[in-house]
Amino acid sequence: MNLPFENKVALVTGAGSGMGLATAKAFAEAGAAVVLADIDEHAVLSAAEELVSAGHKAIAVRCNVADEAEVAAMIEQTVSTFGRLDAAYNNAGVQSPAVETADASGEEFDRVNAINLRGVWNCMKYELRQMREQGSGAIVNCSSIGGLTKSAALEYASRGIRINAVCPGTIETPMVADMMAKESITMEDMVRDQPIGRLGRPEEIAAAVLWLCSPGASLVIGHALAVDGGYTAR
């Protein structure tokens, strides 16, 4: 059986549910030893235990990606446990309530940026330190902050490290379900603007992440890959 990530080590943040969990499972099934990180310790412990029970190598780490010290400790634990870091999917993020800019609070702005922007920067910083030492690695950021991804990609391309981003459309995750419930949005409403006629599945994002981290994407650097069922192509 071909296991493209055999003897590799993968790290997934936001791995407690949704796209992160699907990607962690996909990495494990492709042969990688996987570090599942999430601020929800119970969720990643349960997920890691399930993978180990199925015969995979996996550990769970509680990490708030907005806290640089916790991110540094996460990478240290990854390397001390498995010896290296070959692939990282920086997926942890939060969704802000849909309100007009004039009605948004500064506290909410700071919270979202601390996790969705600073959190990605924190993770990349310590992932890159390890990959720079190894001389190889692949990083995928789950976000639309293409500027951060592209600048880092150019900086490290000549050192054997590839950095790209996936930009998911509307995916069937617990976060989206919670948003729909809070804002009284029906599935029919959500699907109406989707060219593909449905929401995306976490496993479809996982497939894109694994490809971007694989040798098959060896010439793909600094790219923001839309995985959105045609939403941005309209």
Side-chain angles (χ1 to χ4, degrees), residues 146-201:
L148 174 59
T149 295
K150 288 180 180 179
S151 61
L154 292 174
E155 185 176 0
Y156 287 92
S158 64
R159 304 192 220 180
I161 303 169
R162 294 186 302 102
I163 305 173
N164 292 286
V166 289
C167 302
T170 307
I171 311 299
E172 286 191 71
T173 64
M175 186 183 296
V176 169
D178 183 59
M179 177 200 72
M180 290 171 63
K182 287 179 178 177
E183 299 181 19
S184 300
I185 300 173
T186 68
M187 182 59 73
E188 186 179 68
D189 293 332
M190 296 292 285
V191 170
R192 186 176 296 119
D193 292 330
Q194 306 299 320
I196 199 171
R198 62 173 174 82
L199 302 190
R201 296 185 295 271

Side-chain angles (χ1 to χ4, degrees), residues 16 19 69 80 169:
M19 296 180 292
S80 65

